[in-house]
Amino acid sequence: MAKDVLCEVNNCKYWSKGNKCTAEAIYVVSHAGDQATKKEETDCKTFDPEI
C-alpha cells in the first residue's frame, strides 16, 4: 500500500496538513462498472465530511 496518500479535500475528517490522508484504508469505486478508463469515472468512498 502507498505510504503517502495525498488528498486536497480539506473538509474530509481524514485530511491532514500537507494534503495528507490519515485514513487507515482507502476505498475507491468505479461508477462505470468493474473497470474505469478515466479518473472522472471513479470516486473515493472513504470521504467522510468533517462536521
Side-chain angles (χ1 to χ4, degrees):
M1 187 169 171
K3 288 197 250 179
D4 294 317
V5 176
L6 300 177
C7 177
E8 295 181 0
V9 185
N10 64 5
N11 67 319
C12 181
K13 75 177 191 178
Y14 299 113
W15 182 89
S16 185
K17 184 179 177 183
N19 289 338
K20 302 286 184 176
C21 178
T22 62
E24 289 186 21
I26 305 297
Y27 179 33
V28 178
V29 298
S30 168
H31 47 87
D34 289 340
Q35 295 184 358
T37 57
K38 300 179 234 174
K39 63 183 175 185
E40 294 83 8
E41 296 175 343
T42 63
D43 292 306
C44 177
K45 295 289 274 188
T46 308
F47 172 74
D48 192 0
E50 188 168 31
I51 300 173

